[in-house]
Amino acid sequence: MAEPVLLLQGVFKSFGDKVVTEVLKGVDLRIERGEFAALVGPSGSGKSTLLNILGLLDRPTKGTLAIAGEETTALGDAGLTRLRGRTLGFVFQFHHLLPGLTAIENVMMPMIAAEGRTAKAMVPRAHKLLARVGLGERADARPSELSGGQQQRVAIARALALEAPLVLADEPTGNLDTKTADQIFEVMREFNRELGVAFLIVTHDPRLALRCDRTIELVDGRVVSDQRHAAT
Ligand SMILES: Nc1ncnc2c1ncn2[C@@H]1O[C@H](COP(=O)(O)OP(=O)(O)O)[C@@H](O)[C@H]1O
Ligand SMILES: [Mg+2]
């Protein structure tokens, strides 16, 4: 089988020194290239903690993680940052766009970080991404001039700015009404189908989970079910 885009083995995560809270209690997870998977589970079950570890934003207390075949355990902060930039895109519940920048400038931020300000192809690439999420005409709008759904579209375009093979999305539709949530979900699905980008999407909405190809359920820091299914 081809190398998975993400391979997590035996991961534990605890917080605290005096009072130790064990949040992840032995998680194994393998995500293949091009997968479109939902991560569900009750509030407090450890979904965000897990996503932070998968996103190289936090380190496990124990266990190993490889992203796109690269083992992360021995990497220092600079190595993690480089790997993160090359392989991962992020979408959060709140878009985290920079308010002083336009939509296209927000999309270009990861490109600037990786390639420097003068990279030639940057503007056309960012324009293409914005057009793909349906915002080709709003490139110069600031986040405050966009609706919640449009802001989230910009965030998705930004997540794909460096052609990451995997996007991690933590409740990306949690703050949106049902219709807008459906549209945002569809934007992610299109990137998945057309570009083969893998997605792992935390959602509370069972309806949206059913529209994925796979549902992983986390309860009390453990994966209690993991099923591939036909997307509705
Ligand atoms: N930095 C932290 N310090 C201490 N406890 C934390 C920290 N982050 C998360 N937790 C605890 O870990 C548990 C799981 O949190 P979280 O991963 O946010 O769950 P979910 O995203 O599934 O709602 C919660 O009990 C939370 O209080
Ligand atoms: Mg959470």
Side-chain angles (χ1 to χ4, degrees):
M1 204 185 265
E3 160 194 282
V5 71
L6 183 154
L7 185 62
L8 184 76
Q9 289 177 302
V11 159
F12 289 76
K13 179 67 181 178
S14 304
F15 293 106
D17 294 328
K18 288 200 186 103
V19 183
V20 177
T21 316
E22 191 167 64
V23 176
L24 299 179
K25 304 172 181 174
V27 178
D28 298 311
L29 189 61
R30 179 187 171 108
I31 307 273
E32 308 299 340
R33 290 185 184 266
E35 272 201 300
F36 196 70
L39 177 63
V40 303
S43 179
S45 57
K47 302 183 297 298
S48 294
T49 302
L50 178 59
L51 236 63
N52 286 341
I53 288 172
L54 302 180
L56 309 175
L57 301 166
D58 202 357
R59 288 177 186 269
T61 310
K62 197 176 131 191
T64 63
L65 168 64
I67 305 279
E70 188 161 344
E71 189 48 60
T72 63
T73 316
L75 293 179
D77 287 345
L80 290 180
T81 301
R82 208 173 313 117
L83 182 61
R84 192 189 307 123
R86 203 158 51 71
T87 57
L88 297 170
F90 296 89
V91 183
F92 302 95
Q93 177 169 3
F94 301 99
H95 52 76
H96 295 293
L97 299 176
L98 295 173
L101 300 185
T102 62
I104 191 161
E105 288 167 346
N106 268 287
V107 174
M108 288 191 301
M109 281 304 285
M111 304 180 193
I112 291 169
E115 300 163 9
R117 202 166 283 278
T118 52
K120 254 211 187 107
M122 206 156 66
V123 173
R125 233 163 73 210
H127 255 299
K128 216 166 159 182
L129 283 162
L130 277 179
R132 243 177 201 284
V133 300
L135 289 175
E137 311 293 306
R138 302 306 310 275
D140 296 325
R142 289 186 198 278
S144 61
E145 298 164 330
L146 299 172
S147 69
Q150 289 174 327
Q151 290 168 349
Q152 207 56 316
R153 285 169 190 266
V154 176
I156 293 169
R158 180 186 54 186
L160 273 309
L162 295 177
E163 293 162 33
L166 174 64
V167 171
L168 302 170
D170 198 351
E171 307 203 32
T173 64
N175 197 35
L176 304 172
D177 63 76
T178 307
K179 185 163 163 257
T180 310
D182 279 2
Q183 292 167 348
I184 291 303
F185 203 78
E186 216 38 56
V187 169
M188 294 192 286
R189 184 86 235 201
E190 277 165 26
F191 273 114
N192 167 252
R193 289 221 169 98
E194 290 168 23
L195 303 180
V197 179
F199 280 78
L200 180 63
I201 306 171
V202 175
T203 179
H204 272 302
D205 188 340
R207 224 172 30 92
L208 293 182
L210 282 174
R211 288 167 57 182
C212 295
D213 301 323
R214 175 180 175 188
T215 301
I216 300 150
E217 187 181 5
L218 196 67
V219 175
D220 194 21
R222 291 188 179 89
V223 174
V224 297
S225 78
D226 182 352
Q227 307 209 337
R228 290 197 168 77
H229 49 80
T232 56

